[in-house]
Amino acid sequence: MAFDYEKYLRPGKLPHIWCPGCGHGIVMKGLIRAMDTLKLDMKNTAIVSGIGCASRLPGYIDCCTLHTAHGRAAAFATGVKMAKPEMNVILCGGDGDGTAIGGNHFIHACRRNIDMTYIIMNNYIYGMTGGQFSPCTPTGHKASTTPYGNPDPGFDIAKLAIGAGATFVARGTAFHANQIDKLIVEAIQHKGFSVVEILDDCPTTYGRRNKYKSVIEMMNRLKEVAVPVKAAEKMTAEQLKGKVLTGVLYKEEKPEYTEEFAKVIERAKASK
Amino acid sequence: MEKTLPKIEIIEKYCKGCHICVEFCPTKVLEMKGFVVAVKNLEACIKCMQCELRCPDFAIKVSAE
């Protein structure tokens, strides 16, 4: 039988606002399938987002949702999780929202290892605000604010998250739609801060300026650059040039923040 | 054994005509009819569900018994 996505969507919200061919819809479907696999209680699940195209996602899903200030998803979500540690907290947003405007909140949420899942839809650009270059825009590529090519080197979100202390880091692409829900399931099950970066396409503000003729060309590019972690082990450095690793990139067990904070409260009470 | 055909439901008011389903269908079951997608050759469908999985707009539902 066809998967019933509508059970998880707010009635009357479709068609969504994303442009034709935008991968955010594919990621949202992946998230819904992951929520279905885990049988998450919608009343006990919060999706928190900032501002941007990707951050419109919580508006469509029928659970507890919070649409906050630009880049501040991690800050608000930390508040939700601290107030209700039993709640499943999922964050979502784009690359500009998560790593530039909210870069500070992002690294500190990683450092604290608070039990949340951050889904970053990396489309290499600020889409909604008019196609400005983001920290993930590759060097030399064009955006509305870099018409002669972007001189900045880009961020590697997965490495940034690992360096900042996230305990589960995975990467997928909008083309490999089967993989998205599996990565999100594993990320939600992981106790600690988990980051899932999904490489996405923005045909309207990024593809158009960077000589991608169609959505299909952008999807094919994602297909070509993605190399699964296991396959990469057998490849040489030369073969891996220009490729992006996908799958679960990093996993470790560390004390979780809300549990550690509960111990601090116990200690403070005992010392009175 | 007789082959049972799947049911491909297309919700035209959701379709934005991005071509993803048409292009990535391995057996070319779908085609563009104006701005929206339509079923061209249902017989060829192998029920891989790739169109349903990749449609960003929730516009395709494939039911296979």
Side-chain angles (χ1 to χ4, degrees):
Chain A
M1 275 303 289
F3 187 91
D4 186 15
Y5 290 101
E6 264 141 53
K7 195 168 74 177
Y8 292 90
L9 295 172
R10 293 196 168 125
K13 284 281 185 183
L14 288 179
H16 53 57
I17 58 137
W18 296 314
C19 303
C22 172
H24 294 346
I26 303 174
V27 181
M28 180 156 84
K29 286 171 100 170
L31 174 61
I32 292 171
R33 288 197 303 277
M35 290 167 99
D36 185 75
T37 309
L38 293 169
K39 303 272 175 285
L40 292 187
D41 177 10
M42 290 292 121
K43 286 181 182 157
N44 196 33
T45 304
I47 305 186
V48 187
S49 73
I51 297 293
C53 291
S55 300
R56 293 292 291 256
L57 191 151
Y60 300 107
I61 300 181
D62 199 7
C63 65
C64 306
T65 55
L66 188 58
H67 194 183
T68 72
H70 207 341
R72 270 58 180 164
F76 281 82
T78 304
V80 172
K81 187 74 185 175
M82 291 306 288
K84 288 185 176 286
E86 72 286 354
M87 212 163 195
N88 304 303
V89 182
I90 300 164
L91 296 86
C92 61
D95 52 316
D97 184 61
T99 60
I101 294 179
N104 197 10
H105 296 296
F106 173 63
I107 56 172
H108 290 287
C110 290
R111 175 175 64 89
R112 288 196 184 107
N113 192 32
I114 184 160
D115 186 19
M116 308 192 290
T117 301
Y118 198 163
I119 302 164
I120 301 189
M121 287 161 242
N122 180 1
N123 56 8
Y124 309 105
I125 204 130
Y126 281 95
M128 186 173 278
T129 51
Q132 293 88 350
F133 74 108
S134 83
C136 296
T137 307
T139 315
H141 284 214
K142 289 174 185 167
S144 66
T145 43
T146 55
Y148 302 102
N150 170 32
D152 301 1
F155 258 145
D156 183 330
I157 296 177
K159 280 185 186 161
L160 176 70
I162 296 168
T167 49
F168 180 95
V169 179
R171 194 193 275 127
T173 81
F175 176 81
H176 302 90
N178 305 28
Q179 197 189 22
I180 297 173
D181 50 325
K182 291 182 186 106
L183 293 176
I184 296 175
V185 164
E186 226 178 306
I188 294 175
Q189 282 174 332
H190 178 78
K191 192 122 186 101
F193 195 77
S194 41
V195 177
V196 183
E197 180 193 2
I198 312 283
L199 300 180
D200 218 332
D201 63 325
C202 176
T204 309
T205 61
Y206 178 74
R208 180 164 63 89
R209 290 194 176 89
N210 290 289
K211 295 199 173 98
Y212 286 104
K213 288 195 186 77
S214 64
V215 173
I216 309 306
E217 211 175 290
M218 297 192 84
M219 281 285 166
N220 279 328
R221 191 202 132 261
L222 290 177
K223 184 182 168 185
E224 281 159 22
V225 296
V227 177
V229 186
K230 274 187 188 154
E233 284 169 8
K234 292 171 197 154
M235 288 165 76
T236 62
E238 204 160 277
Q239 284 172 316
L240 284 172
K241 209 175 173 190
K243 302 280 183 192
V244 183
L245 299 186
T246 58
V248 179
L249 306 176
Y250 185 77
K251 200 175 178 179
E252 72 161 318
E253 298 295 326
K254 257 194 203 170
E256 196 273 322
Y257 189 70
T258 53
E259 286 176 6
E260 293 301 303
F261 202 83
K263 286 179 197 164
V264 172
I265 294 171
E266 287 302 312
R267 280 204 297 276
K269 278 182 184 167
S271 69
K272 269 189 185 171
Chain B
M1 209 176 85
E2 205 177 317
K3 192 184 162 193
T4 53
L5 288 177
K7 196 169 157 272
I8 303 180
E9 187 193 341
I10 290 164
I11 308 160
E12 290 190 1
K13 64 175 181 179
Y14 293 170
C15 178
K16 291 176 186 159
C18 69
H19 288 243
I20 289 180
C21 55
V22 177
E23 202 67 30
F24 294 113
C25 172
T27 53
K28 305 291 171 217
V29 171
L30 304 160
E31 66 171 349
M32 293 306 293
K33 215 173 197 175
F35 288 109
V36 292
V37 67
V39 179
K40 180 176 68 178
N41 184 11
L42 190 62
E43 297 278 316
C45 181
I46 54 167
K47 304 168 201 168
C48 67
M49 318 292 266
Q50 292 297 309
C51 54
E52 186 190 302
L53 207 60
R54 290 220 175 90
C55 174
D57 296 299
F58 300 77
I60 302 184
K61 284 179 188 172
V62 183
S63 312
E65 298 309 321

